[in-house]
Amino acid sequence: MDIQLKRGLLDVCVLAAISEEDSYGYKIIKDMKPYLVLSESTLYTILKRLEAAHMLTVRSAEHDGRLRKYYHITPEGSKRIAEFKEDWKEIMAIYRFVTKEEQPHA
């Protein structure tokens, strides 16, 4: 898979993982595990990139005597998920063309 495409898909997956509630690294990895395997180093690279793009914010809170970083999706992050859903319709149309699958009837 094209590295840029994969990177964009993983970004959206991480945003989706925190779209319903704030979350932290280990829980994000655990929540995504049924769908894809993501290493901690890859996740934290993605989280830093999304924070720099203003798609999420980070806050620290104490948990069991240790500081834990919680990630919160921003309106910009939610917008990116919505854009992805629209883009995906076009990608699926291209896929159907390439594989010669019939288009669903409207």
Side-chain angles (χ1 to χ4, degrees):
M1 178 183 289
D2 177 74
I3 191 72
Q4 293 290 42
L5 176 60
K6 186 173 185 176
R7 185 159 105 174
L9 292 172
L10 290 176
D11 287 359
V12 172
C13 288
V14 171
L15 289 170
I18 64 171
S19 65
E20 297 295 318
E21 64 180 348
D22 293 359
S23 194
Y24 54 94
Y26 176 75
K27 185 171 184 318
I28 294 169
I29 289 172
K30 189 174 131 192
D31 291 345
M32 292 174 70
K33 196 170 187 171
Y35 306 98
L36 60 106
V37 176
L38 196 62
S39 70
E40 282 186 45
S41 61
T42 299
L43 173 64
Y44 288 108
T45 300
I46 292 168
L47 290 168
K48 289 232 180 258
R49 183 171 55 244
L50 293 173
E51 182 182 10
H54 308 289
M55 292 188 197
L56 59 81
T57 58
V58 184
R59 69 177 168 82
S60 294
E62 190 173 324
H63 178 78
D64 292 335
R66 296 180 59 195
L67 280 183
R68 177 184 280 171
K69 287 185 176 181
Y70 287 87
Y71 299 91
H72 175 80
I73 193 166
T74 64
E76 190 66 29
S78 295
K79 180 181 169 190
R80 178 63 195 109
I81 291 173
E83 290 169 350
F84 169 79
K85 289 177 181 178
E86 283 302 310
D87 292 345
W88 195 253
K89 292 175 188 174
E90 185 177 351
I91 291 167
M92 289 308 299
I94 293 167
Y95 173 83
R96 285 190 299 274
F97 173 77
V98 170
T99 61
K100 304 298 184 224
E101 288 185 14
E102 287 187 33
Q103 290 187 358
H105 299 289

